[in-house]
Amino acid sequence: MFNNLNISEKIKKYKSDLLLLGVLLIIFIFLSSIFLFHQYSILIDSFGQNVYIPMEILKGKILYKDILVPYGPFSYQLNAFLMLIFGQTLNTVIFAGSVNSLMILLLIYLISRNITDKRLSFTVTFLIMTICVFHYWITNYIFPYSSAMTYSLTAFLASVFCSINYLKKSNPIYIRYAFVFIGISILIKLDFIFFLPVLLAIATFFKPVSKKYLAITAIFSSIIPLLSWFILFMQGITFLNIYEVYVNTHKFTHTEHFRQFYTNNAGMFFNSKFLSEYLTIFKTVFVNLLITTIIIYLHFLILQKIIRLYKFKLLNFMLILFTLPLYFIFLNSYYSCMYSNKIFAWMPISATIILITVLAFNFIKIKLFEVFKRNISFKDIINRLKLINLKQRIFILVCIASIISSMRCYFYINLMIFGTFVLPLVLLVNIVFWVDYLPVFLAKYIKYFDKEIWKKACIISLILLGIVLSITYMFKAKLNTYPLKTSKGTYYVREYEGKTFQQTISYIQKHANINDTLLVIPRGLSLNFFTGLSSNNKYYDFIPPTIEVYGEDKIIQDFKNNKPRFILITNENTGDWGSSYVCKNYALNICKFIDKNYQYKKTIGNDFQIKVFEVKKL
C-alpha cells in the first residue's frame, strides 16, 4: 500500500486509512475492557497449550521428549520466552495474545485494501474483531485454545500480504518475505502449508525470479525453523522422538472418535446428513441480510432524493438523526436468526464458487478457452493468464488463500470449533463479492440501480450484524462472574466451576510439595498451572481418542513407573468426542487401577465435581 513517499507525505496520503485504523483501535480497547479474562473455558486446552507447556519448558522439560505436544515447537518456545522475560502469569500470555490480535486485524485491513476501498476494509476488519478476536469461547484470539493457531494465522496473513505486494510492485524482496512468513507459519502449525506451492508458482511461473534468488530465499526462510529445531536437538531430542510424535498424531487423526468429532462439529469431513442444515443456514442468513440491505438501500435512496430537493443543512441533519434509529429495528430479526455459531457454515464452499466464477469470467475475457483448442506450450498459457488485470489477479490470489485457510473446516464452519481461525479470508472474499462484484452485474439489468448506495446499505447491514453478535457475546462472557484468584492471576469463570476450582487449588497447595505431580482426568492443566505442579507430561489428556491411541495398558504401565502423587477426576462431559464420562463410559481399566492404588480423599463441588485421590503409601 505504501510507496517511496516520505513520512509526512505518507501520513497525508493515507490520512483516512490511519483514522479508520485509529477508530478500530479504540473499539479494540473498549472490547478488551469487557472481554479480557472472561473468555471461557477453564477446563479445555487454553491453559495447557498456552501457559502450562511453556511453564514446563522453563522447568527444563524438553518438547517431544519429556512433553508430548501436537503442534510445531515455535509457539511454545515463544510463550516460554515471554514468560521468562515478563513472568509466569496470565497477564503475560493475554498481553501477547492482544498484540498478536492487533497484528491480525492490521493485516486483514491491509489485505482488504488491495481488493476493495477503505470503508469496506474497515467493515470486514470490524467484523473479524467482533466475531473472532472477541468471541466468548476458547476460539477467541486473545486467549485461544492454542496460541499456535493464532500465531500461525498471523504469519500466514503476513505471507499473503507480502505476496500481494510482490504482484503489485514486482520487488523480489516481497516474495522473499512471503516465503519467510509461510515458513514460520508451517513451523508453528501445518494448517496453511498448501500456500507454499502457490508462492512457488508465483515465483517460478507468473512473476519469476532467478534460481539463485530463489535459492537464497529458501535459505532465508529456513533460518527460523532450523534455529527452532536446532535448540531442541541441542537440548537432547532425537529423530526417534519426532517419529514417535508423528506416529501418535497419525493414529489420533485416524481414530473413529476423531473423525466423528471433526465431521459433526468442525466440518473437516463431508457429511451428507448436514447438507440440509447448511442450506437452511445459508437461506436464513442470505434472506435476512438481503431484506435488511434492501430496506436500508431504499431508505438511503429516498433520503438522497429528499436531500437533493431541500438543501438545508439543518433539515438534512435532522432527517439522518431521526431515521438512523430505524436501522436498529432490524436488530430483532438479527437476534432471532443470526445468533448462531454456525451462521457462516457455508462460506468456504461459497468462496470456492466465487473463485470458479471469477476465473471463468476472466478466462472468457482473455479468451483462454480458445487457446486450449490449439496446440500451444505451457509458457504460452502462462503468458495469456498474465493478461488478467492486476486487481483481478490479487482477488484470485486472496480467494485461493481463503480456501487454503479454511481446509480444516471446509464443509462446515462452526465458530465454537476452530471456525473463528479460518473465517477471516473467506469472510473477506464473500463480502467483497457481495458488495463490489455483484452490483456490477445488477447494474446491467436494473436501470436505476445505484452501486454507491448499495455499498453503503451493505456496510450498515454488516456493521449491524457485528454489533448484534458482539452484544450477544458480551452477555455470554459476562456470565463468567466468579473471580478465580490465584498467584498466577485472576480469571473469571462460571460460579459453579470457579468455587470448585478455588477449593481444589487451596487443597492441593495445602497438601502438596513443589516436586509432587498432579494429574487431572480427563483434562484440566489449568490446575497444574495455577498450583505450579507438573502433570504426567506424556499422558495428560484423557479424551476418548487419546485413550484409543495409546491404549489403557500402556498408560497404566506408565502410571506404575511414574505414579503421580495426586490424581483428580472431574465430571466433565466429553460427549463431543464420542464418549461422555470418564470412569463410566470409557477408561474403565485406568479407573480400576486408580481405585486399587490410590486413596480417595474427598469430592469437591456440587454441579461441577472434582474427586481427589492420593497415592497410597507403602
Side-chain angles (χ1 to χ4, degrees), residues 324-576:
L324 201 59
L326 292 175
Y327 300 147
F328 291 94
I329 293 173
F330 305 108
L331 288 177
N332 288 329
S333 62
Y334 274 125
Y335 269 117
S336 62
C337 63
M338 287 299 204
Y339 172 59
S340 167
N341 281 295
K342 301 174 184 178
I343 63 171
F344 305 112
W346 42 274
M347 277 200 167
I349 295 174
S350 61
T352 306
I353 295 170
I354 289 168
L355 173 62
I356 294 170
T357 303
V358 173
L359 283 174
F361 173 80
N362 280 281
F363 287 173
I364 293 169
K365 192 174 181 180
I366 64 172
K367 300 179 181 179
L368 184 66
F369 295 116
E370 295 180 9
V371 170
F372 292 115
K373 296 177 182 177
R374 293 174 282 167
N375 187 21
I376 62 169
S377 67
F378 177 73
K379 185 178 180 181
D380 291 330
I381 294 173
I382 295 296
N383 288 334
R384 184 62 67 96
L385 288 172
K386 290 178 182 178
L387 297 176
I388 298 173
N389 72 61
L390 179 61
K391 189 172 182 179
Q392 292 287 304
R393 273 183 280 164
I394 292 172
F395 185 68
I396 290 167
L397 176 63
V398 175
C399 286
I400 293 170
S402 76
I403 295 167
I404 291 170
S405 71
S406 65
M407 294 301 289
R408 178 181 279 265
C409 305
Y410 182 79
F411 295 107
Y412 188 25
I413 284 185
N414 182 350
L415 299 179
M416 293 280 282
I417 312 288
F418 308 117
T420 56
F421 307 122
V422 307
L423 186 64
L425 290 184
V426 290
L427 182 67
L428 171 63
V429 166
N430 278 273
I431 288 176
V432 169
F433 184 80
W434 172 265
V435 178
D436 286 343
Y437 282 72
L438 188 61
V440 175
F441 173 80
L442 293 176
K444 293 179 180 179
Y445 298 96
I446 303 175
K447 187 174 182 181
Y448 297 106
F449 183 78
D450 192 310
K451 291 184 287 186
E452 181 61 24
I453 293 179
W454 172 262
K455 174 169 277 194
K456 289 179 182 178
C458 287
I459 287 171
I460 290 173
S461 183
L462 291 168
I463 288 176
L464 282 176
L465 174 61
I467 291 171
V468 170
L469 290 178
S470 186
I471 291 171
T472 307
Y473 293 170
M474 286 178 195
F475 284 116
K476 289 278 187 180
K478 284 304 180 182
L479 291 175
N480 303 323
T481 57
Y482 185 87
L484 181 60
K485 296 180 180 179
T486 73
S487 59
K488 303 294 180 71
T490 300
Y491 198 75
Y492 291 86
V493 298
R494 302 288 176 93
E495 185 174 352
Y496 70 93
E497 286 183 334
K499 287 183 176 180
T500 301
F501 264 77
Q502 196 79 71
Q503 293 173 38
T504 305
I505 291 168
S506 298
Y507 179 89
I508 295 298
Q509 289 177 334
K510 182 179 179 180
H511 294 87
N513 299 315
I514 190 66
N515 294 321
D516 288 337
T517 51
L518 169 69
L519 178 66
V520 186
I521 298 176
R523 53 190 172 184
L525 289 172
S526 52
L527 284 167
N528 295 92
F529 175 69
F530 287 135
T531 59
L533 300 183
S534 296
S535 180
N536 181 315
N537 286 323
K538 192 168 186 179
Y539 306 113
Y540 56 81
D541 194 339
F542 289 82
I543 56 176
T546 305
I547 303 294
E548 186 179 342
V549 167
Y550 293 113
E552 291 190 69
D553 292 341
K554 193 173 181 180
I555 295 170
I556 290 170
Q557 186 59 47
D558 186 81
F559 284 178
K560 290 177 180 178
N561 298 333
N562 307 287
K563 284 184 179 178
R565 182 179 170 188
F566 293 97
I567 292 180
L568 309 181
I569 300 178
T570 75
N571 63 342
E572 179 195 357
N573 187 339
T574 56
D576 285 343

